[in-house]
Amino acid sequence: MIKENDLDKLRDEISKYLGSKRLVHTLSVEEECVALAEIFGLGLENKMRLRVAALLHDITKKFTHEEQLNYCFNNNIFYTEEEKFTPKIFHAKTGAHMAKQLFGDIADEIICEAIKYHTTAKANMNLIEILLYLADYIEPKRDFSDCVILRAEFYEMINNLENLELVLNKILTRSFDMTIEGLILNKEIIHPDTTSARNFYIRKILNRD
Ligand SMILES: [Fe+2]
Ligand SMILES: [Fe+2]
């Protein structure tokens, strides 16, 4: 199992790959993951996995778009024609790959999969994937208005609603709505994984399973 000591080493290592602002964000995502793991009763083994995923999730964020494409080409990472027009998602794909390459002794498949979907999300996520996605959105150092709003709504729901699964379904759906609205306003491409995630979690709320 992953130990605190492994996390300490990882924290030192990632500072080589992240700028100072991104490092602050990354450490804040880890802290938010700890808080969320507590709320949702994640077992110790998965809580440690979630913290590793948090520390590594933006490891390739510094790459330019060209570097992202080159990394994909050199490492046989598949992307669709459509994805060429969603540049923000590349760091999730390359990050998942690099996490395995550099830290494969602690970053297992479950961790890498969570990193891979931390930007778009996807339908039917496991709790580690959900909590990394959510922590990345609502960690308190983020001051983008959607993040601030979503964070406030999430903690208000946690305080008022007892059904944790319903809270997750609602907050995930709300986050996808905000993301999709922003993309439409900016005339940007919506990644199909985000659309299918939104449809999956809204169906859960509407009980149309
Ligand atoms: Fe990211
Ligand atoms: Fe991030």
Side-chain angles (χ1 to χ4, degrees), residues 2 28 35 44 59 143 153:
I2 300 157
S28 186
L44 183 60
I59 191 121
D143 53 9
E153 288 185 2

Side-chain angles (χ1 to χ4, degrees), residues 137 141-150 178 182 186:
Y137 215 121
K141 297 271 168 29
R142 287 190 81 162
D143 53 9
F144 182 60
S145 72
D146 279 0
C147 302
V148 175
I149 292 167
L150 198 75
M178 284 173 146
N186 293 327

Side-chain angles (χ1 to χ4, degrees), residues 52-82:
V52 170
L55 290 172
L56 295 175
H57 82 285
D58 276 342
I59 191 121
T60 60
K61 186 86 178 184
K62 233 182 174 179
F63 290 6
T64 63
H65 190 49
E66 199 184 345
E67 286 168 340
Q68 296 288 358
L69 295 176
N70 286 340
Y71 188 97
C72 288
F73 181 78
N74 293 332
N75 293 285
N76 292 318
I77 299 172
F78 175 79
Y79 57 86
T80 64
E81 275 301 305
E82 196 180 21

Side-chain angles (χ1 to χ4, degrees), residues 22 25 57-59 61 88 91-92 115 118-119 136 142:
R22 187 64 46 190
H25 160 70
H57 82 285
D58 276 342
I59 191 121
K61 186 86 178 184
K88 284 177 198 152
H91 79 283
I115 295 171
H118 84 265
T119 305
D136 188 36
R142 287 190 81 162

Side-chain angles (χ1 to χ4, degrees), residues 32 36 130 133-139 142-158 167-179:
E32 188 64 34
L36 295 178
I130 290 173
Y133 167 82
L134 188 59
D136 188 36
Y137 215 121
I138 67 169
E139 62 89 355
R142 287 190 81 162
D143 53 9
F144 182 60
S145 72
D146 279 0
C147 302
V148 175
I149 292 167
L150 198 75
R151 179 175 176 79
E153 288 185 2
F154 172 71
Y155 279 103
E156 199 188 321
M157 269 196 247
I158 285 293
V167 170
L168 277 187
N169 294 337
K170 283 190 167 181
I171 206 70
L172 287 171
T173 300
R174 178 82 167 114
S175 78
F176 303 137
D177 287 353
M178 284 173 146
T179 299

